[in-house]
Amino acid sequence: MKTQLDSALQFHQTALNLQAQRQQMLASNIANADTPNYKARDVDFRAALKGAMGERMGPLELTGTSSRHLGVAAETPFGAFVGFRREFQSSVDGNTVNMDVERAAFAENAVHYEASVTFINGLLRSMQTAITGQ
């Protein structure tokens, strides 16, 4: 049986998990900035959060008919919403990482993560106040 507190925290928990995975992906993009033919990836955060909250089904997943098929969706829980970042300026070695874009996305995602943690702390503090009456 789900309580109201569980329901209230589920959204923020899902958002935190998604933001943590996106942060890892952005860090991987930055780490591979000099790797030839590396293609920068990112998560469609809005679609992934809607999909995780059950509002909408995600994009169609590919069916693997061979054990040698690559499983993008199995890589992460939000794998169906991972895509390659659009290339702004082509490089000679085929790498699509733009450090300005990656740094900005990394900082923005960190701010959103901190905001989610602040919302959860405020919610829990409000619940504690309601329970104790202080």
Side-chain angles (χ1 to χ4, degrees), residues 15-42:
L16 276 177
N17 289 337
L18 181 57
Q19 288 162 344
Q21 295 221 346
R22 184 173 187 231
Q23 200 75 354
Q24 288 178 349
M25 190 171 296
L26 294 171
S28 176
N29 288 345
I30 291 171
N32 287 294
D34 294 329
T35 304
N37 295 318
Y38 181 81
K39 306 299 180 204
R41 298 181 307 158
D42 200 358

